[in-house]
Amino acid sequence: EVVKVVTPGTAMGQGFLDETAHNYLACVCTSSSGFGLSYLDISTGDYFITQQESLDEIIGHLDRIDAKEVLLPEELTLPDHFFTGLYTPLDSDRAHEELTSFFKIHSLSGFGIESFQDAYPAAWGVLDYAKRTQRHDLPQIISCRPIQDQDRLYMDRATIRNLELVDSLHNKHHE
């Protein structure tokens, strides 16, 4: 009997994780107005949702959070440096129902994500995948937080690497 499925985005426990960094599992969906993104760190319960107009913005966001695994609908592809898997997104209304059922609430407005309807399929996709691979409830996930774009400075992958904001270039050369 399979007890748990371990993938790059769902790994938990000593020996699997760098304790100084998040281990984000992400999910992307498409909509008529752009793209939805949701990501989750199963080990901490940190769970976020956002919407972007372009796939390039989504890719930039995934690079910034250093997503370990990204779930995509069949029609999307990402650059090769991402570890990806496929999922079948629900429509936004059904995803909303599943999310409210998971959190045992009547409305998502208490989380401040009511304006992110186009990203609900991604939010449910990442949560459903985590539930299925972990094969148990996820009590550490108690809310979903919105990521707003205003008042933020975004940097591309090369800038983050060259400024050594996440990893030291010196240490990478000596490994």
Side-chain angles (χ1 to χ4, degrees):
E1 177 185 341
V2 176
V3 178
K4 182 188 294 189
V5 177
V6 179
T7 67
T10 62
M12 287 188 2
Q14 221 171 13
F16 285 111
L17 301 176
D18 174 358
E19 293 177 10
T20 63
H22 282 285
N23 190 49
Y24 285 124
L25 168 65
C27 189
V28 179
C29 67
T30 60
S31 74
S32 59
S33 62
F35 299 87
L37 170 65
S38 187
Y39 51 98
L40 166 67
D41 183 332
I42 294 173
S43 64
T44 64
D46 289 342
Y47 182 35
F48 301 94
I49 188 171
T50 191
Q51 294 176 166
Q52 303 292 333
E53 292 180 3
S54 74
L55 186 57
D56 286 339
E57 291 173 302
I58 293 290
I59 291 168
H61 200 108
L62 291 168
D63 279 334
R64 283 187 295 282
I65 65 168
D66 191 24
K68 303 299 187 246
E69 182 175 2
V70 184
L71 305 173
L72 302 169
E74 282 188 46
E75 67 270 14
L76 287 181
T77 58
L78 293 178
D80 290 340
H81 66 272
F82 290 108
F83 182 90
T84 61
L86 295 177
Y87 86 108
T88 303
L90 299 177
D91 65 59
S92 186
D93 290 338
R94 179 69 197 278
H96 178 271
E97 289 173 22
E98 294 292 344
L99 289 165
T100 55
S101 175
F102 176 84
F103 289 113
K104 297 174 178 56
I105 56 178
H106 294 292
S107 168
L108 297 173
S109 62
F111 297 149
I113 63 172
E114 64 278 357
S115 65
F116 291 87
Q117 298 96 341
D118 289 344
Y120 289 169
W124 176 248
V126 73
L127 195 57
D128 182 53
Y129 184 82
K131 283 176 40 178
R132 288 186 292 114
T133 57
Q134 298 306 291
R135 307 245 176 177
H136 61 77
D137 291 335
L138 302 168
Q140 70 275 30
I141 302 168
I142 58 172
S143 70
C144 184
R145 297 186 309 218
I147 300 293
Q148 303 285 353
D149 281 341
Q150 65 267 25
D151 302 325
R152 292 183 186 269
L153 170 67
Y154 289 114
M155 294 177 240
D156 63 19
R157 184 177 185 83
T159 302
I160 292 169
R161 185 189 71 236
N162 291 332
L163 290 175
E164 298 183 358
L165 298 175
V166 177
D167 289 319
S168 167
L169 291 174
H170 175 74
N171 289 342
K172 288 212 177 228
H173 293 299
H174 289 88
E175 289 180 353

